Amino acid sequence: MAVRYKTVLLFGAPGAGKGTQGELLGNIPGFYHLSTGDMFRALDRESELGRTFVSYSEKGELVPDELTIKLWQQYTNEQIESGKFDPDTQLLVLDGLPRTTDQAKLIDPLLDVLGVIHLFAMNKEAMVARLRQRALQQKRTDDAKEEVIRTRLEIYERDTRPVLDMYDASMVHEIDAMGTMAMVLMHVLDVVAPIHANSVVPAGV
Ligand code: AMP
């Protein structure tokens, strides 16, 4: 059987801070952060795949499931082959996948999900404001338009949120996303550091 990557899923609506927390974790030895949004944005915009991605993302829509999983598998293999990701010694921090229940079923045989971090925000408008600010800072065209942001949030509620129910409740950790970056990180580490210590770290290290 193919190896199943020991994984923590970063879950939450657009603007909840998955990318920020994922990047912070990815700087800690023993963690490997993989964002499917970053994976898609790294595609050559002139290539067929790149154009397909933009045709969905500019409307705030999700790329079709089969294509997303195929590309993710290819990309993950490349990261392993180039030595950037070592599944034996690193915990995979997966940000932005799965985003539909079908994606969750398709990747299930490849992942050993040890925990799910659900970054939630009671105040939806604060998340919209974050998205607008990020669009300006990172020149992200998808979040520059109010209409696209609303679509992204609607799709999250309709297609992505139900994915949370597929995982055992004892595995899902609710974390308030609206604190400072450091406070959110502290809560995330509270969950993730023990998972890391008990999974990929050899005994005695
Ligand atoms: P993100 O940076 O995670 O907000 O993703 C930006 C865009 O990439 C999304 O609006 C989708 O168009 C696409 N995308 C990222 N992850 C996925 C996924 N798991 N399934 C389908 N589309 C995705």
Side-chain angles (χ1 to χ4, degrees):
M1 199 186 98
V3 64
R4 292 172 94 199
Y5 312 126
K6 294 191 185 305
T7 306
V8 167
L9 302 180
L10 277 182
F11 212 87
K18 300 184 296 292
T20 304
Q21 292 298 321
E23 217 177 302
L24 290 168
L25 287 177
N27 280 310
I28 304 174
F31 290 83
Y32 183 75
H33 171 226
L34 196 161
S35 146
T36 47
D38 290 348
M39 170 189 85
F40 280 126
R41 280 184 290 277
L43 291 170
D44 175 2
R45 298 274 165 131
E46 301 306 320
S47 68
E48 202 186 323
L49 262 178
R51 280 201 298 268
T52 304
F53 161 63
V54 172
S55 74
Y56 290 100
S57 69
E58 69 184 4
K59 289 183 269 175
E61 291 172 4
L62 296 177
V63 177
D65 294 334
E66 303 271 345
L67 179 59
T68 298
I69 300 297
K70 203 171 126 206
L71 195 66
W72 172 77
Q73 270 185 285
Q74 255 173 35
Y75 182 81
T76 307
N77 286 338
E78 280 164 21
Q79 303 304 299
I80 294 172
E81 277 156 25
S82 65
K84 291 189 186 126
F85 171 38
D86 177 5
D88 290 333
T89 59
Q90 288 178 310
L91 182 65
L92 177 63
V93 177
L94 198 48
D95 152 11
L97 186 81
R99 255 161 141 129
T100 66
T101 52
D102 282 345
Q103 288 183 8
K105 286 179 205 146
L106 286 167
I107 55 168
D108 184 61
L110 303 171
L111 303 183
D112 180 7
V113 178
L114 301 171
V116 181
I117 303 286
H118 178 207
L119 295 169
F120 75 92
M122 303 302 265
N123 183 347
K124 296 279 173 277
E125 291 312 311
M127 284 213 285
V128 173
R130 264 192 188 180
L131 286 170
R132 276 205 217 96
Q133 195 187 13
R134 181 178 72 183
L136 292 174
Q137 284 164 350
Q138 301 178 0
K139 300 196 172 52
R140 272 187 64 165
T141 47
D142 54 350
D143 289 330
K145 293 191 199 114
E146 181 82 22
E147 192 191 320
V148 176
I149 292 180
R150 301 279 166 202
T151 305
R152 268 158 64 72
L153 292 173
E154 273 167 34
I155 290 179
Y156 173 77
E157 289 299 332
R158 191 191 67 201
D159 297 335
T160 308
R161 237 193 116 87
V163 175
L164 266 186
D165 298 330
M166 297 174 74
Y167 297 95
D168 197 278
S170 64
M171 202 189 262
V172 179
H173 304 270
E174 302 287 335
I175 292 177
D176 182 354
M178 295 318 287
T180 61
M181 222 185 262
M183 285 303 282
V184 178
L185 178 63
M186 182 177 79
H187 295 304
V188 169
L189 279 174
D190 230 12
V191 175
V192 162
I195 292 177
H196 173 248
N198 293 322
S199 57
V200 288
V201 179
V205 177

